[in-house]
């Protein structure tokens, strides 16, 4: 419940990504691959700065995300 994957409606503009990377997020980290955003919250989501809403505002995108456990369950159901 500490690793999240968010699918974005488009690949964010590079300038917005660069601005986001310049922010100190403490121990929270993220990676963006095209329009898929991965972020890790070592202290859990309850106390986190990063969230889907946070990224939507900073990157000017719309996204939907789930934690890794949910994605694994969805993959199992799809098989």
């Amino acid at each position: 419940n500490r690793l999240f994957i968010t699918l974005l409606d488009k690949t964010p503009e590079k300038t917005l990504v660069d601005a986001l990377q310049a922010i100190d997020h403490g121990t929270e980290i993220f990676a963006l691959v095209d329009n898929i955003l991965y972020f890790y919250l070592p202290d859990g989501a309850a106390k986190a700065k990063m969230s889907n809403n946070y990224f939507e505002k900073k990157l000017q995108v719309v996204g939907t995300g789930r934690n890794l456990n949910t994605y694994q369950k969805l993959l199992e159901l799809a098989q």
Side-chain angles (χ1 to χ4, degrees):
N1 284 337
R2 298 180 195 287
L3 178 61
F4 294 82
I5 303 168
T6 298
L7 305 176
L8 306 176
D9 67 333
K10 61 184 177 184
T11 301
E13 295 178 23
K14 183 176 178 352
T15 56
L16 297 173
V17 175
D18 291 344
L20 184 61
Q21 289 174 332
I23 297 171
D24 180 9
H25 293 103
T27 59
E28 299 174 18
I29 58 173
F30 75 94
L32 183 66
V33 179
D34 297 322
N35 69 325
I36 303 174
L37 176 69
Y38 303 88
F39 59 102
Y40 176 69
L41 310 174
D43 298 322
K47 298 178 182 179
K49 180 176 186 177
M50 291 182 181
S51 67
N52 283 343
N53 288 339
Y54 175 79
F55 287 112
E56 285 179 332
K57 289 177 185 174
K58 295 289 186 183
L59 298 175
Q60 299 176 8
V61 294
V62 176
T64 184
R66 303 291 181 268
N67 67 38
L68 183 59
N69 293 338
T70 301
Y71 272 105
Q72 288 174 330
K73 288 176 186 176
L74 289 171
L75 285 172
E76 289 172 11
L77 290 172
Q79 294 175 354

